[in-house]
Amino acid sequence: MTYVIAQTVSQGGVTTGTDVIGSVKVQDGGTGEGPLPHTAEGVGLRSTEADVRTAYPDATVEETLFSDSALRVTMGDTSIIFEFRDGLAYMVTVLPATEEIPPEYCA
């Protein structure tokens, strides 16, 4: 599954979405079929935390609500966040480096 989240703006206490992409999140559907998205370094969905740390030695620990662990890789003005469950990346998010990972996509 892929989620594309718009940036938001707040005016007068009301938050609304814009037409600018704020982040993209890819989640492992668990079907085991077809190719899985990955970075140029070869890590992505179903990679282990060790695989991500090997590909990105400067990755930092990220706090998330629903994963066992997570790593943030920042390159310039962009971050990639790998979220892990049961030892494998089940979610990968790309967003601006200055942004926090959204706590939930079903708001």
Side-chain angles (χ1 to χ4, degrees), residues 3 5 8 102-107:
Y3 305 90
I5 306 303
T8 59
E104 188 171 353
Y105 277 80
C106 301

Side-chain angles (χ1 to χ4, degrees), residues 38-54:
H38 60 276
T39 67
E41 287 74 12
V43 293
L45 294 177
R46 299 195 194 146
S47 293
T48 66
E49 189 169 336
D51 293 336
V52 174
R53 287 188 179 278
T54 298

Side-chain angles (χ1 to χ4, degrees), residues 17-84:
T18 69
D19 61 354
V20 176
I21 294 173
S23 66
V24 175
K25 181 175 273 211
V26 180
Q27 181 177 2
D28 183 359
T31 64
E33 299 174 10
L36 296 170
H38 60 276
T39 67
E41 287 74 12
V43 293
L45 294 177
R46 299 195 194 146
S47 293
T48 66
E49 189 169 336
D51 293 336
V52 174
R53 287 188 179 278
T54 298
Y56 301 105
D58 294 332
T60 59
V61 173
E62 181 78 10
E63 296 296 323
T64 63
L65 292 177
F66 302 110
S67 57
D68 297 335
S69 62
L71 294 172
R72 179 184 284 255
V73 176
T74 301
M75 297 170 286
D77 60 357
T78 303
S79 285
I80 304 170
I81 299 173
F82 298 88
E83 294 182 64
F84 302 93

Side-chain angles (χ1 to χ4, degrees), residues 5-19:
I5 306 303
Q7 288 182 342
T8 59
V9 294
S10 294
Q11 287 184 312
V14 177
T15 301
T16 57
T18 69
D19 61 354

Side-chain angles (χ1 to χ4, degrees), residues 79-104:
S79 285
I80 304 170
I81 299 173
F82 298 88
E83 294 182 64
F84 302 93
R85 277 194 191 151
D86 299 323
L88 298 176
Y90 78 100
M91 201 143 349
V92 178
T93 304
V94 178
L95 70 167
T98 57
E99 296 293 322
E100 296 295 321
I101 189 166
E104 188 171 353

